[in-house]
Amino acid sequence: MYSLINKAKNLGLTGELYYVERSEYEVRKEKQYQAGSLRERGYGLRVFKDGQVGFAFATDPDLTLLDRALSALKVSERDENNVLPPVKKPTMLPLDKEGDPIEFVRESLKTLEELQESVNLVGVYASAGKIKVGVINTEGLDVSESRSHFQVGVMANYKDSSLVTPEIYESRSSRSPKDLDLTELKEETISKVRLTIDRVKLDSKPKRVVLNSKAVSELLYPLLAYSVNAENVYRKKSPLSVGEIYGNITVVDDPHDDKSDYSRSFDGEGQPTTQNVLIHNGEFKAILTNWYWSKKIGIRNSASAVRSFMTTPSIGTSSIRIQPNERQDYENEDLVIDQVQGVHTSNWDTGEFGVVVPVAWTIRNGDRKGVREVILSGDLKTLLKTAMGGVGDSKRVGPVVSPGIVIQGLGVVS
């Protein structure tokens, strides 16, 4: 690796090598068991000269990698923002947690398969592994870290001779197996499956919709992630405008949340990460950047470069914490949204969406009652501006930590 960087420097280039070493073990059970073991190693090289950039990747860092990157550089367009970021030393986080991957997968599957006694278990899976990520460059940067990850998931429904209910999908992930509560996952799955057995059709439009933590992760998060991306903001493709007020929610991008498997000490360009307050008390205050877009726009780099060894750096979130500034309680006739389908069909530039909701329930006299499929529609601005507050405890679902969010103004068709 180092000879490759030294050769680039001797040729009068600045360059950067991003490398990955990954091992993962996974077992899935649907109709039958499927086990997989992955070992992957890869290297992505960027070289710069006079505003031009070339990129190539390989599974072996020999000198042909540099030759291919040079060939790409010669045909690239000049852009003064095509330069390496400055060398900064990150504060390393404890992201490599203890846990035997094979033992974790075996014991997790054994525990989750106990669900067969209570529900129709469509499938279960467990995976665990470790990834080593590093960046070296011609200017003296040399950083690397190991990041562990553990994940489990369940697919279940109710099924008999006359009824098949929608499938419930539940998953949990973390850097450490100690942070995964499989008992809670099983109880949540059973509870939701039971709600789908005897469902009613909504006879009137609810005054309030509650996105629970899972729905926040599936619907609100992808819309927000697109909207705070610097490239989309620069190209005027974001539905949000920096400095405008959108309700009373606070959104923080927190790469130092070491329980999240989206955490990182440094980004895909080796830049030290830090918390980024994106929305504060409803005000859109900051956007996420990599080095290129921070220079092009002329703002502080949020160190949000994400990549694989096969790609150049783009912009992505880490762990997202969403916190409404007001608290709410559940009320009768609230419609609680749990699972949505079709977010990918949203108009990302306007924030408009229309999704199918296969799993939801309403509150009646303090109890939950399952409801049949509904269509939920609206847009990101309305969702943020009419958010009344948070309800329930904050939960971690995928990259998001959030309570449920009570919202007015969304369209509901049953």
Side-chain angles (χ1 to χ4, degrees):
M1 294 191 303
Y2 294 97
S3 61
L4 195 64
I5 288 296
N6 290 336
K7 179 66 179 297
K9 190 171 185 177
N10 291 337
L11 291 174
L13 305 167
T14 57
E16 158 205 273
L17 186 70
Y18 177 87
Y19 62 93
V20 173
E21 298 176 8
R22 181 161 71 109
S23 62
E24 186 169 338
Y25 180 66
E26 177 183 83
V27 175
R28 292 178 175 268
K29 182 188 178 185
E30 294 181 12
K31 293 182 178 180
Q32 59 186 12
Y33 285 100
Q34 293 181 327
S37 179
L38 170 69
R39 291 191 177 275
E40 180 183 51
R41 176 180 295 176
Y43 305 84
L45 176 67
R46 287 195 299 167
V47 291
F48 301 84
K49 188 171 185 178
D50 300 328
Q52 292 179 287
V53 60
F55 173 74
F57 67 90
T59 56
D60 184 19
D62 59 26
L63 291 179
T64 62
L65 182 61
L66 177 57
D67 293 338
R68 290 190 288 115
L70 278 169
S71 295
L73 179 143
K74 293 175 182 177
V75 297
S76 71
E77 294 185 4
R78 295 184 186 276
D79 185 330
E80 64 181 4
N81 301 301
N82 281 327
V83 294
L84 278 179
V87 175
K88 296 181 180 180
K89 185 177 181 180
T91 300
M92 306 307 291
L93 303 171
L95 303 183
D96 188 1
K97 308 292 186 178
E98 292 184 2
D100 180 85
I102 295 178
E103 182 70 14
F104 167 79
V105 168
R106 181 168 54 239
E107 291 302 313
S108 296
L109 283 179
K110 180 180 177 181
T111 298
L112 293 176
E113 285 180 319
E114 295 172 357
L115 281 166
Q116 294 175 122
E117 301 172 5
S118 304
V119 299
N120 178 47
L121 193 58
V122 178
V124 294
Y125 70 89
S127 67
K130 185 176 297 186
I131 182 170
K132 181 181 179 180
V133 178
V135 184
I136 59 176
N137 71 23
T138 54
E139 310 311 296
L141 178 69
D142 189 351
V143 293
S144 66
E145 70 179 351
S146 291
R147 305 165 184 169
S148 58
H149 70 274
F150 299 84
Q151 185 174 28
V152 293
V154 173
M155 295 158 284
N157 66 354
Y158 177 83
K159 181 180 181 181
D160 64 20
S161 59
S162 61
L163 177 66
V164 178
T165 66
E167 290 182 4
I168 304 293
Y169 300 90
E170 292 291 329
S171 65
R172 304 289 186 271
S173 62
S174 183
R175 291 286 182 207
S176 170
K178 296 179 181 179
D179 295 324
L180 298 177
D181 187 343
L182 299 192
T183 299
E184 178 272 335
L185 174 59
K186 289 164 58 181
E187 292 174 348
E188 186 87 346
T189 301
I190 293 170
S191 174
K192 290 179 181 179
V193 168
R194 288 175 177 171
L195 281 171
T196 65
I197 296 173
D198 181 22
R199 298 184 296 164
V200 298
K201 183 177 181 179
L202 288 179
D203 51 15
S204 62
K205 180 182 176 179
K207 294 181 180 179
R208 310 194 322 171
V209 169
V210 180
L211 300 182
N212 69 7
S213 303
K214 182 178 173 185
V216 169
S217 181
E218 291 184 352
L219 177 59
L220 176 56
Y221 163 72
L223 293 169
L224 273 176
Y226 181 90
S227 301
V228 300
N229 182 300
E231 180 177 358
N232 297 331
V233 172
Y234 176 83
R235 298 187 187 282
K236 302 188 183 303
K237 298 176 68 177
S238 171
L240 306 182
S241 300
V242 176
E244 294 294 315
I245 305 296
Y246 302 98
N248 64 356
I249 284 180
T250 293
V251 179
V252 179
D253 179 81
D254 185 8
H256 291 183
D257 178 359
D258 64 357
K259 290 185 178 181
S260 169
D261 53 357
Y262 291 82
S263 55
R264 48 189 182 248
S265 303
F266 55 87
D267 73 350
E269 297 176 297
Q271 295 294 286
T273 56
T274 186
Q275 281 191 3
N276 296 288
V277 179
L278 306 175
I279 300 176
H280 183 254
N281 294 336
E283 182 183 356
F284 186 13
K285 296 184 70 69
I287 57 180
L288 297 181
T289 68
N290 57 14
W291 181 246
Y292 174 87
W293 283 102
S294 70
K295 281 186 63 62
K296 190 171 185 69
I297 298 174
I299 59 175
R300 180 187 71 88
N301 182 23
S302 70
S304 302
V306 295
R307 64 191 298 190
S308 75
F309 72 86
M310 295 181 288
T311 64
T312 56
S314 58
I315 300 169
T317 64
S318 59
S319 177
I320 292 290
R321 188 168 67 251
I322 300 176
Q323 186 60 58
N325 295 342
E326 303 290 336
R327 294 292 300 172
Q328 293 281 322
D329 294 318
Y330 287 110
E331 295 182 358
N332 274 337
E333 306 305 324
D334 279 351
L335 176 64
V336 182
I337 307 297
D338 176 74
Q339 202 165 287
V340 300
Q341 297 173 344
V343 179
H344 65 284
T345 65
S346 301
N347 185 327
W348 301 99
D349 296 352
T350 64
E352 295 172 301
F353 60 86
V355 294
V356 177
V357 181
V359 182
W361 54 86
T362 188
I363 307 297
R364 292 187 175 177
N365 299 319
D367 294 326
R368 301 189 301 173
K369 182 67 176 178
V371 301
R372 293 190 176 276
E373 285 85 354
V374 299
I375 304 296
L376 183 70
S377 61
D379 63 85
L380 178 59
K381 286 183 181 180
T382 298
L383 196 158
L384 293 174
K385 287 182 176 181
T386 64
M388 301 174 64
V391 61
D393 296 330
S394 288
K395 293 184 178 181
R396 185 184 305 278
V397 183
V400 177
V401 177
S402 173
I405 301 178
V406 180
I407 301 165
Q408 291 181 321
L410 298 182
V412 177
V413 178
S414 59

